[in-house]
Amino acid sequence: MPGSFLDTNVLIYLATGDTAKADRAEALLAGGVTISVQVLNETANVLRRKAGLSWDEIHAFLETVRTLAVVQPLTIETHDQGLRISERYRLSLYDGMIVAAALLAGCDQLWSEDMQDGLVIEETLRIRNPFMR
């Protein structure tokens, strides 16, 4: 069944002071989404280095997210497909890995503030900016 995949930048708003974006991110998460281990790793890094959260706060945040989202593992297949996607669609390596994880999870929507809104990857996955009206 097709579904939604969240990019790291969407999750980060759950822990920031931007109430409107946090509310939108929360609504997406509550609707049933998939993320990848990479998203968890990137989120932990941003929350620690830029938001200044303690390790206990980061663990609690990630534990909550993991109970609300399906977590797609990182595999060699993700890596190989991510490289191909990055090259073909001229995405950053890390964005290519996010896209590959979303495709491998069978998602048809990838919610990202950073990638090109409306871009369709492999005729299957549409990137959408959750904060555009």
Side-chain angles (χ1 to χ4, degrees), residues 47 53-68:
L47 294 179
L53 270 63
S54 71
W55 285 112
D56 287 341
E57 291 169 320
I58 292 168
H59 285 288
F61 181 86
L62 295 177
E63 184 176 323
T64 300
V65 169
R66 288 171 57 178
T67 63
L68 297 171

Side-chain angles (χ1 to χ4, degrees), residues 32-114:
V33 296
T34 300
I35 59 172
S36 67
V37 171
Q38 177 184 334
V39 169
L40 292 172
N41 292 341
E42 290 177 2
T43 299
N45 184 55
V46 170
L47 294 179
R48 183 72 181 158
R49 299 189 86 189
K50 292 185 179 178
L53 270 63
S54 71
W55 285 112
D56 287 341
E57 291 169 320
I58 292 168
H59 285 288
F61 181 86
L62 295 177
E63 184 176 323
T64 300
V65 169
R66 288 171 57 178
T67 63
L68 297 171
V70 173
V71 180
Q72 178 74 13
L74 291 179
T75 64
I76 196 68
E77 184 180 10
T78 309
H79 172 77
D80 289 343
Q81 187 164 350
L83 288 174
R84 187 179 57 73
I85 294 288
S86 294
E87 181 178 11
R88 179 173 180 195
Y89 294 92
R90 299 177 190 230
L91 298 174
S92 76
L93 180 64
Y94 296 106
D95 286 348
M97 296 300 159
I98 295 286
V99 169
L103 287 167
L104 290 168
C107 294
D108 62 351
Q109 293 182 89
L110 169 56
W111 296 98
S112 176
E113 184 179 39
D114 296 338

Side-chain angles (χ1 to χ4, degrees), residues 5-7 98-99 109-112 115 125-128:
F5 195 100
L6 291 187
D7 193 1
I98 295 286
V99 169
Q109 293 182 89
L110 169 56
W111 296 98
S112 176
M115 292 187 231
L125 180 70
R126 179 176 303 277
I127 296 171
R128 297 182 60 197

